[in-house]
Amino acid sequence: MRSTAKEVVAGIDLSGKTIIVTGGYSGLGTETVRALAGAGAHVIVGARRPDAAEEVLAEMDGTITILPLDLSDPASIDAFGESVAAMVDTLDMLINNAAIMASPLMRDARGYEMQFATNHLGHFQLTARLWPLLVAAAKAIGRARVVTLSSVGHRLNGLDVDDPNFENREYEKWPAYGQAKSANALFALELDKIGKPHGVRAFAVHPGGIVTPLQRHLTMEEQKAMGWFDEDGNTHESFKSVEEGAATSVWCAVSPLLEGMGGVYCEDCNVGAMADENTPRGSGVSPHIRDEDLAQRLWVKSEELTGVSFPA
């Protein structure tokens, strides 16, 4: 049986909790916000298109605040962090949900490749700016959590720490996506090591295969060729609904089963298992995202590229 985000949070009272969800007005983000706000949390949504977010989230129950956030723009990230700090004293959970996938070559104003810049570097800087609020929540109630969406796309390939922006090699959209999603998982691994002494635990999530606006850069023919759709346009039987796809993010944010844990890669509301030759391509953990040395090298590179360090 597949759980939905609403089922995961059933019976859990999030009243008094503050949770941030980036990109919480599209695809998985929408259902993540719906479940958490419905359970009583104050959910702050970081939105690149605030007007669109207002339209999507207006019908939802609960307390929801929308603030502008462009993860490819360092100034926007800093402004978002300042707005949140002016609004709340503590942050219980941060869900780094927003992403782009398999896009044509695009670069931000710094010249950084957009999938790596948005999916990883933007969330790295955002988490750093919100870190004092997360630590304050953990100090007050004993814990805080950071959930970062990775993907089974990490199994496509590893991470080139020396050339993450495709400056010295030909750009290919899928290796760029696999690299960015590997970075998301490695970020959670290293972040948990840094956050554990403070009571802040970090998790990486593979939500599963879902049809969402994330596929906006792919043609239907490409998706059919990958087996996501059949010739009649029907989705593969392994694909989840959006409500089911949001379940693991919510589970990592709220589940008491994860108390005392962190740094793990989760899928299907469980800790993911290491992949082998018999593992289906839609699941499993590749060894490179469990490489602590690689995670530490990525952390140093991320500080270098963003000019941002986490507060001591």
Side-chain angles (χ1 to χ4, degrees):
M1 185 180 74
R2 294 172 172 175
S3 299
T4 65
K6 186 176 180 181
E7 289 168 344
V8 166
V9 83
I12 296 177
D13 183 6
L14 296 176
S15 300
K17 305 293 186 187
T18 301
I19 304 173
I20 288 176
V21 182
T22 65
Y25 61 103
S26 178
L28 301 179
T30 304
E31 295 308 316
T32 301
V33 171
R34 190 190 309 276
L36 297 172
H42 172 202
V43 182
I44 301 173
V45 174
R48 189 171 57 84
R49 296 177 294 130
D51 290 346
E54 291 280 1
E55 186 174 340
V56 170
L57 302 175
E59 49 83 26
M60 286 192 191
D61 295 329
T63 303
I64 301 171
T65 301
I66 298 167
L67 295 174
L69 174 64
D70 182 345
L71 288 164
S72 68
D73 180 355
S76 175
I77 296 169
D78 287 349
F80 179 87
E82 290 169 3
S83 295
V84 173
M87 186 182 305
V88 299
D89 296 323
T90 60
L91 177 62
D92 298 280
M93 303 163 205
L94 168 61
I95 301 180
N96 292 322
N97 166 83
I100 56 174
M101 180 176 76
S103 60
L105 177 59
M106 299 184 288
R107 296 190 182 276
D108 68 10
R110 300 166 292 187
Y112 298 164
E113 189 276 313
M114 194 64 81
Q115 293 192 73
F116 185 74
T118 299
N119 297 356
H120 170 62
L121 292 178
H123 283 125
F124 180 90
Q125 179 174 341
L126 177 67
T127 306
R129 296 307 188 217
L130 298 171
W131 193 245
L133 298 177
L134 289 159
V135 172
K139 185 176 181 180
I141 64 169
R143 72 172 178 87
R145 293 185 184 179
V146 179
V147 179
T148 300
L149 269 72
S150 178
S151 166
V152 74
H154 82 270
R155 291 187 60 189
L156 291 169
N157 50 267
L159 166 69
D160 188 339
V161 177
D162 297 319
D163 186 27
N165 292 305
F166 289 84
E167 295 167 319
N168 302 312
R169 54 189 166 134
E170 183 178 355
Y171 177 79
E172 296 179 75
K173 64 184 182 182
W174 282 116
Y177 181 69
Q179 173 176 264
K181 293 289 101 178
S182 294
N184 289 144
L186 289 161
F187 169 61
L189 182 62
E190 185 69 12
L191 182 67
D192 189 71
K193 188 183 300 184
I194 291 168
K196 182 178 178 181
H198 301 285
V200 182
R201 306 309 300 264
F203 304 88
V205 166
H206 166 46
I210 311 107
V211 177
T212 74
L214 187 66
Q215 284 102 329
R216 65 175 61 89
H217 294 294
L218 300 175
T219 67
M220 179 55 72
E221 290 308 309
E222 285 179 292
Q223 294 179 72
K224 286 180 179 179
M226 291 185 290
W228 295 359
F229 291 87
D230 65 21
E231 285 305 312
D232 296 322
N234 302 306
T235 58
H236 192 277
E237 61 183 9
S238 68
F239 271 44
K240 298 179 179 181
S241 68
V242 179
E243 294 84 358
E244 292 167 342
T248 304
S249 298
V250 173
W251 183 75
C252 283
V254 306
S255 177
L257 298 176
L258 292 170
E259 288 294 340
M261 296 179 62
V264 291
Y265 172 98
C266 299
E267 55 187 10
D268 295 328
C269 296
N270 209 336
V271 176
M274 296 301 295
D276 59 27
E277 65 274 10
N278 298 315
T279 303
R281 68 177 184 172
S283 62
V285 181
S286 289
H288 70 271
I289 66 165
R290 307 304 302 160
D291 185 333
E292 294 186 2
D293 290 338
L294 181 59
Q296 204 277 329
R297 288 178 59 212
L298 172 64
W299 191 277
V300 172
K301 187 69 171 182
S302 302
E303 290 181 326
E304 174 190 322
L305 292 173
T306 61
V308 172
S309 297
F310 277 58

